[in-house]
Amino acid sequence: MTAILLGLILIAFTVVACLPNCLNWGADIIMVLKGAAPVLSAFIGLIAVFIGYADIKDKQEAKKEETAKQAEEK
């Protein structure tokens, strides 16, 4: 319950910060998002490469185990 309340308070603060009549941080927020986008996309790309590599290794390991199991049955 506390997490939901805190989340709603933070969302309300974000909306108020972006309004032109209140804090007027809209342009600054957009500037931060523009600067963070390339870094975030590089980080997500790096994670995707690691996940893909781990998936390939898992498939190779499963294939080796399946081959060993078939050889054992014969």
Side-chain angles (χ1 to χ4, degrees):
M1 184 66 182
T2 305
I4 293 173
L5 184 61
L6 180 64
L8 291 173
I9 290 170
L10 290 174
I11 290 171
F13 173 75
T14 303
V15 170
V16 169
C18 291
L19 292 175
N21 295 336
C22 295
L23 294 177
N24 199 19
W25 288 358
D28 295 331
I29 292 170
I30 297 298
M31 185 173 45
V32 167
L33 291 175
K34 283 181 179 179
V39 175
L40 185 61
S41 68
F43 183 67
I44 291 171
L46 189 62
I47 290 172
V49 168
F50 284 141
I51 290 172
Y53 178 74
D55 187 42
I56 290 171
K57 295 294 278 186
D58 287 343
K59 286 181 182 179
Q60 288 176 347
E61 187 66 31
K63 187 176 180 181
K64 285 180 185 177
E65 289 177 6
E66 183 179 322
T67 305
K69 185 177 178 182
Q70 287 177 354
E72 185 179 290
E73 289 176 355
K74 289 182 181 182

